Amino acid sequence: MAEHDPRGERLDELRRKFGREPLPPGADQKELTPREAQPRFRGLESGHRACQGCGEALAARLVTECAGPDVMIANATGCLEVFTTAWPQSSWRVPWMHSLFENAGAIASGMEAAMKAKGKNTKVLAFGGDGGTYDIGFQALSGMLERYHNVLYVCYDNEAYMNTGIQRSSSTPHAATTTTSPAGKERMGKRHLKKDLLAIVAAHHIPYAAAASVAYPADLQRKVRYAMGIEGPTFLVIHSPCPLGWRHDSALTIEVARRGVECGLFPLVEIERGAVTNVMPIRKVRPVTDYLELQGRFSHLMTPDDARAEEERAHLQALADHNIQTFGLRGDTPDAGDTQASSSVGRGGHPAGRV
Amino acid sequence: MVILTRGAYARPGTSLDFKTGNWRSGEAPVHVHATAPCAASCPAGEDQQAWFARLQEGDAEGAWREVVRANPLPAVTGRVCPHPCETACNRAALDAPLAIHNVERWLGDEAIRQGWTYPVSAPAADAPEVAIVGAGPAGLSAAYHCVRQGLRAAIYEAAPEAGGLLRAAIPQTRLPRDVLDAEIARLLDLPGITLNLRARLGRDVTLDELERDHAAVLLAPGCQANKAWSIDGAVPVDLHEGLNLLKEFVDHGQLPEARRVIVHGGGNTAMDLCRAMKRAGAEQVTLVSASGLPGPETDPSDVINVVPRELEEALEEGIEILDHTTINRLILRGSRVTGVEVMSLRKLRGEDGRAHRVGFEGTERVLPVDMVIPCIGEEVAPEGLGALIDHGYLRPRDPAGRLTQERVFALGDARGDHGTVAAAIGDGLRAVRALVAELEGAPASPDGDRVGIAPDQLNLSYYDHSARVAAPKLRVEARTFETEIEGDIGRAAAMAEAQRCLSCGNCLACDNCWTFCPDNAVIKTVELARDGSHYLFDLDYCKGCGLCAQECPTGYIRMQS
């Protein structure tokens, strides 16, 4: 009897699923359109209805193209679900299931159990926004992690309920203005702090939990690939600017995300089994005002000669400094993994190569 | 067996039926191949960005071929050019400009070592022949471009060797003769070029004969006559004029003896002479220049016209420079100089709105000297050119160098409007291009219709800091008359330096647009698209957010309506 070869079996399974018969010799090869001939998997296709410059659409595209094609997705209610699947069309090129706002974790758990029962190896992803993850779906997420399902949960964090009209969530940063935390005479935007979800998720003692940003796609995709290779629950939170809700120019999505990382307000950390194992060092730490000044949701903090604005700016700066100190983010000596080296390009791409 | 397709395609998402491109309200991304500032400022017409791109791909010979599209003598210009490209380089906004001249020099030397040949085919035997007067950089460049364009060239040179000023007046410490000989020999070996040595215009050939026997005449005689120099009519009996003195020195290595020397002028000839006199043993060499030294205080239009590294080396060697100063009076004992009176002056805007040099009373000083050498410039020697000369020069009526006569062009220093080797080489390119268009009856191709690009149009977040290469240099004590002072940087450093090029205004193929488009509307192709990049914009789905343009490192993508 032939030796057991799990890789070969897997390849055969994929061939059965996605393969095509070879053409007879001399037959004309099918002419591929430039779109079809692109050297990457298109998990989230064009024609979706996201706003111009949507950070979440970008993040979902980046995740799916390096996780796919052998995945299936459970997607919580939110922008991502709405703009990708306007009936009767879908932008997804992988099996995809819509869950309620609160139960993406539970649906993904069930999909994973079903695949296991069928003896399939297909990885299950769960997608949710910050509302569906930090707030409404939190309990289902916690259960999924605790039951140790083999699921990668990706939270697209745009820091408010954008789909329903920019209401505050527990992920909205302190002092940001939303429709339910408006800046005015009484308050300077949201009164409370952004929930540290990553720490809570990591407290489940899962194999891998990490934060990524759309401004560092190579780093983001490395984290996705790493998580895909783990048998067990993994979690990724991706900072995804929302031009509509954050009120910045649609061309500045990446610049805003980059400054968010470079000022220390959104630290890119990786946590394995509850311990911080890696951080992206910041080559040159920027003041938080560099980040705030691009966004309309913080414009009330930029009023000159306003004591309340000054206090809130100082507060946000202190929060960023706290992150920098807690995670040791200051990377004054150049490092191949720091904010500068991670984004540098040369002729033909990133010097280290985008695998 | 069943083939597993790449990426194991799932069936296309049907949202492709929904063309989000119609959401675009105004501008759409387009590729704009702007002219990089190095190329825009190059008097020789090189596109440095283009050849650095080839070096970044590891293709040194391809890079050299890109250089010689415009400049057939890169080993020469890499050594003697004042490199305005480096002054213009956008990388200065990030750390330091690229060491373009060092890399060009390495490429030129590598071509000589490897024996690379010009990508040129022989012109037809019955192709029109162009007469070129002078085998200096302008004449040689013109001959080379004639052959490139399928014309034949006949060069008439008064001297017994080709090279012009490169051979006659540039010291070996800046331009070793073996390098010069190798580049000139490679050029003159091209099929279709005949070189007539010891053929002086006005003595051996006349302009009328040349015009009669050739399709066109390109005049590149250089400036061989010193401008008359005196201070209030006083001229010392042992006057040595700068360029002549330098030529004698370069020719047979002799310099007059003097203890204290003043050189009057502010160009490379003056600087070369100062350094040669110092090395020959003069105790004190002083350059008196009406222009200023480069610095924040000095108006850029009034800076001493010297290659920056030459100035730096001269100061290292102990040359004293009196800037913003002029000679007021010669103090003569009999008819020999014993001292000069100098005076401070500045270029100031007068009541008529024009800049004048104004001397300041009360700043006069007397310096004891043994010799004063004027280096105040040269003009065209009138022999054989007669009526064409206008106030010392052959002043052309257009940038291509056309004179009033049909198909007669002026090139190089003789034009009087510029005075560098690179500009002379560029003149050859521009004149031949215009001539070919004229011969073919086509309108001259519009020059410089591409837009420029400034540092704020790049996205500098994507470039890591990286130090500029420092070329090895001889210690001051080790410098002689023969050995070259600046050294070779070598292959590894040249290739590393090339990686520093920002590729302003041209595609790096870095994938940023392809990676960052939230709508999958940027499509990567294997073949080069028509506009020279690997990416297409699928305007059926582009919503016009502008992310790709914002995140393009090189400013190659712009949003236009």
Side-chain angles (χ1 to χ4, degrees), chain A residues 15 19-20 35 38 40 44 46 48 50 52-53 61 69 90-91 93 250-251 258 283 340 343 345 347-348 354, chain B residues 2-3 7 10 12 14-15 23 56 461-464 503 507-509 514-515 517-520 538 543 545 551:
Chain A
R15 283 206 179 89
R20 62 174 169 80
R35 179 171 286 275
Q38 286 180 87
R40 75 180 177 204
L44 180 61
S46 298
H48 61 69
Q52 296 176 322
R61 208 209 76 213
S90 168
S91 303
R93 288 158 49 92
S250 63
R258 177 161 42 235
R283 177 86 64 90
Q340 179 63 60
S343 52
V345 299
R347 189 161 296 279
R354 287 192 182 138
Chain B
V2 176
I3 295 171
T14 53
S15 69
W23 293 13
Q56 290 181 336
S461 310
Y462 293 103
Y463 300 104
D464 207 346
S503 191
C507 187
L508 262 180
W514 190 55
T515 305
C517 178
D519 294 297
N520 254 328
D538 190 342
K543 293 170 185 160
C545 66
E551 299 307 321

Side-chain angles (χ1 to χ4, degrees), chain A residues 11-284:
Chain A
L11 216 55
D12 287 341
E13 185 192 332
L14 284 171
R15 283 206 179 89
R16 276 197 303 281
K17 209 161 151 186
F18 302 112
R20 62 174 169 80
E21 290 296 328
L23 294 170
D28 281 345
Q29 295 286 328
K30 180 179 172 262
E31 194 72 29
L32 291 179
T33 64
R35 179 171 286 275
E36 287 165 339
Q38 286 180 87
R40 75 180 177 204
F41 172 63
R42 291 145 28 239
L44 180 61
E45 191 47 285
S46 298
H48 61 69
R49 277 76 153 171
C51 305
Q52 296 176 322
C54 175
E56 188 177 36
L58 170 57
R61 208 209 76 213
L62 290 169
V63 169
T64 323
E65 83 188 20
C66 83
D70 190 25
V71 293
M72 45 180 57
I73 298 171
N75 199 152
T77 299
C79 274
L80 185 62
E81 167 259 319
V82 168
F83 72 66
T84 56
T85 52
W87 192 87
Q89 297 166 344
S90 168
S91 303
W92 299 101
R93 288 158 49 92
V94 292
W96 178 91
M97 191 184 289
H98 173 209
S99 78
L100 298 179
F101 222 141
E102 67 276 21
N103 62 357
I107 296 276
S109 303
M111 286 160 74
E112 187 254 1
M115 293 318 283
K116 203 188 263 174
K118 294 187 74 165
K120 292 277 175 72
N121 225 338
T122 303
K123 182 92 175 181
V124 176
L125 309 181
F127 288 176
D130 53 290
T133 308
Y134 282 67
D135 300 347
I136 306 179
F138 182 61
Q139 174 275 129
L141 168 66
S142 179
M144 183 198 94
L145 299 174
E146 182 266 333
R147 292 189 303 274
Y148 215 78
H149 288 282
N150 180 19
V151 174
L152 166 59
Y153 192 107
V154 183
C155 171
Y156 300 99
D157 186 2
N158 56 20
E159 303 189 330
Y161 289 83
M162 299 310 182
N163 185 40
T164 50
I166 320 169
Q167 290 82 12
R168 82 184 270 294
S169 75
S170 59
S171 168
T172 305
H174 177 68
T177 196
T178 67
T179 52
T180 48
S181 64
K185 253 193 288 194
E186 291 298 321
R187 298 251 182 267
M188 292 298 274
K190 185 182 169 185
R191 178 179 161 195
H192 310 99
L193 299 175
K194 182 182 170 92
K195 186 194 273 184
D196 186 1
L197 184 68
L198 201 59
I200 303 171
V201 166
H204 291 75
H205 208 66
I206 58 171
Y208 187 65
S213 164
V214 288
Y216 300 94
D219 174 73
L220 187 160
Q221 295 193 327
R222 175 183 65 77
K223 286 167 177 164
V224 172
R225 278 190 294 272
Y226 187 70
M228 289 291 291
I230 292 172
E231 187 88 17
T234 47
F235 178 84
L236 202 57
V237 56
I238 303 177
H239 201 221
S240 314
C242 171
L244 180 79
W246 298 13
R247 305 220 308 274
H248 60 75
D249 192 286
S250 63
L252 293 180
T253 298
I254 300 300
E255 184 62 26
V256 168
R258 177 161 42 235
R259 293 187 186 188
V261 172
E262 286 182 339
C263 74
L265 277 182
F266 197 89
L268 300 188
V269 301
E270 289 169 82
I271 302 174
E272 295 180 69
R273 301 284 182 202
V276 175
T277 51
N278 198 6
V279 299
M280 183 186 280
I282 305 170
R283 177 86 64 90
K284 197 161 173 286

Side-chain angles (χ1 to χ4, degrees), chain B residues 32-36 40 433 444-453 558 560:
Chain B
V32 178
H33 185 184
T35 308
R433 204 188 273 162
S445 62
D447 213 26
D449 55 345
R450 280 159 60 192
V451 292
I453 187 159
R558 295 188 187 184
Q560 286 177 4

Side-chain angles (χ1 to χ4, degrees), chain B residues 41-290:
Chain B
S41 64
C42 181
E46 279 181 38
D47 187 348
Q48 285 83 349
Q49 187 275 318
W51 57 261
F52 272 115
R54 305 306 292 270
L55 279 180
Q56 290 181 336
E57 292 164 2
D59 179 6
E61 187 172 359
W64 181 77
R65 284 169 174 246
E66 198 65 54
V67 174
V68 300
R69 283 162 69 97
N71 172 10
L73 308 172
V76 170
T77 50
R79 288 174 163 87
V80 304
C81 186
H83 45 73
C85 49
E86 294 186 21
T87 312
C89 179
N90 276 340
R91 179 119 202 168
L94 184 62
D95 37 37
L98 260 77
I100 300 176
H101 78 277
N102 296 103
V103 181
E104 183 184 47
R105 171 191 153 153
W106 174 79
L107 261 184
D109 288 356
E110 185 71 2
I112 296 169
R113 280 190 292 268
Q114 306 282 348
W116 293 337
T117 52
Y118 295 118
V120 169
S121 51
D126 61 346
E129 189 176 56
V130 176
I132 296 167
V133 175
L140 290 172
S141 162
Y144 167 77
H145 285 289
C146 281
V147 175
R148 273 185 74 92
Q149 303 272 8
L151 304 174
R152 291 179 303 133
I155 308 177
Y156 297 88
E157 166 61 49
E161 272 186 295
L165 213 67
L166 296 174
R167 189 177 298 285
I170 297 189
Q172 301 210 25
T173 49
R174 286 171 64 194
L175 179 58
R177 286 303 170 263
D178 52 344
V179 173
L180 179 63
D181 290 342
E183 289 223 308
I184 291 181
R186 182 181 59 210
L187 194 153
L188 292 174
D189 278 349
L190 284 176
I193 298 182
T194 38
L195 174 64
N196 305 290
L197 292 169
R198 299 186 181 83
R200 184 179 288 278
L201 190 67
R203 185 187 71 190
D204 306 305
V205 283
T206 67
L207 191 54
D208 289 340
E209 286 167 10
L210 293 180
E211 283 190 68
R212 193 186 61 219
D213 299 338
H214 297 86
V217 181
L218 308 182
L219 295 169
C223 292
Q224 308 292 344
N226 284 292
K227 283 183 184 162
W229 179 88
S230 71
I231 302 290
D232 290 341
V235 179
V237 68
D238 56 347
L239 179 71
H240 298 277
E241 276 164 329
L243 188 64
N244 285 347
L245 197 61
L246 191 60
K247 280 178 176 173
E248 281 168 30
F249 161 67
V250 169
D251 218 23
H252 40 263
Q254 274 184 351
L255 284 170
E257 273 179 40
R259 214 157 57 79
R260 290 170 304 199
V261 183
I262 279 192
V263 177
H264 187 203
N268 281 310
T269 308
M271 191 55 80
D272 283 338
L273 257 184
C274 284
R275 298 173 66 188
M277 290 301 289
K278 181 81 180 180
R279 213 163 287 148
E283 274 171 29
Q284 192 182 357
V285 180
T286 308
L287 179 75
V288 173
S289 168

